[in-house]
């Protein structure tokens, strides 16, 4: 079990060191900011959603702890090419995973890489770091002007 945890840690550290899809997206159709005051994590999320409601491009910028950066990085990898309905399913499935409720969830969403963040459910403060990117996604899809906050 310790080994498994170390492995997960490695994935998180890797995404933190080399965040995927990092940077600003010039042609973004959707954008939102997120802020987790508890930890100080800040996030900007850019999406390009095409006419058939598919996420054609996605990127993020931000400053935050390893968990928030890794979570955002993994999220962008997953979102690329997804339809909006699928993206929403992932949002619900991931939030359930992060608070340790996924066992009761009837969902056929394959969380795949997101499973590495499962460990945060044991640390309530960390849950907010892990879900910040996803709340920011929600805000972007709803077109909210105010930054998404975890508090
Ligand atoms: Zn954090």
């Amino acid at each position: 079990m310790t080994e498994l945890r170390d492995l997960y840690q490695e994935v998180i550290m890797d995404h933190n060191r080399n965040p995927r899809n990092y940077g600003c997206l010039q042609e973004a159709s959707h954008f939102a900011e997120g802020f987790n005051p508890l930890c100080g994590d800040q996030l900007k999320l850019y999406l390009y959603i095409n006419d058939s409601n598919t996420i054609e491009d996605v990127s993020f910028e931000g400053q935050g702890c390893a968990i928030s950066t890794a979570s955002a990085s993994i999220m962008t990898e997953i979102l690329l090419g997804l339809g909006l309905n699928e993206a929403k399913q992932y949002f619900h499935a991931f939030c359930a995973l992060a608070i340790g409720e996924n066992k009761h969830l009837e969902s056929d969403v394959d969380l795949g890489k997101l499973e590495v963040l499962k460990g945060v459910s044991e640390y309530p403060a960390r849950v907010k770091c892990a879900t910040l990117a996803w709340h920011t996604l929600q805000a972007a899809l709803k077109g909210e002007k105010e930054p998404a906050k975890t508090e």
Side-chain angles (χ1 to χ4, degrees):
M1 197 56 207
T2 326
E3 250 174 61
L4 204 61
R5 209 166 276 174
D6 287 346
L7 184 75
Y8 283 170
Q9 208 88 16
E10 212 167 286
V11 176
I12 291 171
M13 291 321 288
D14 174 48
H15 275 273
N16 179 44
R17 270 193 305 264
N18 306 300
R20 320 300 196 265
N21 306 305
Y22 193 88
C24 154
L25 196 66
Q26 296 293 347
E27 290 99 44
S29 61
H30 292 68
F31 168 79
E33 286 181 84
F35 183 46
N36 172 19
L38 208 68
C39 177
D41 309 316
Q42 284 177 312
L43 191 70
K44 285 180 182 166
L45 184 70
Y46 306 85
L47 297 151
Y48 179 73
I49 298 168
N50 67 19
D51 292 339
S52 39
N53 280 336
T54 301
I55 300 174
E56 210 170 279
D57 212 347
V58 53
S59 73
F60 78 102
E61 287 177 317
Q63 282 181 322
C65 66
I67 299 278
S68 73
T69 304
S71 177
S73 171
I74 295 170
M75 182 186 80
T76 59
E77 278 198 322
I78 283 175
L79 290 180
L80 261 183
L82 277 194
L84 285 189
N85 284 336
E86 287 172 288
K88 281 172 197 159
Q89 284 180 337
Y90 268 99
F91 168 77
H92 293 298
F94 180 68
C95 288
L97 174 88
I99 57 170
E101 297 266 298
N102 57 314
K103 289 163 232 104
H104 315 292
L105 196 77
E106 280 189 44
S107 166
D108 47 8
V109 173
D110 175 19
L111 284 165
K113 284 181 190 161
L114 289 171
E115 294 264 350
V116 302
L117 291 157
K118 187 160 65 178
V120 300
S121 62
E122 290 167 41
Y123 307 94
R126 287 301 186 189
V127 171
K128 293 177 176 165
C129 302
T131 54
L132 175 65
W134 291 88
H135 285 296
T136 310
L137 170 69
Q138 282 285 82
L141 295 181
K142 287 182 188 159
E144 281 169 15
K145 301 274 178 290
E146 290 293 306
K149 279 195 188 145
T150 53
E151 289 304 301

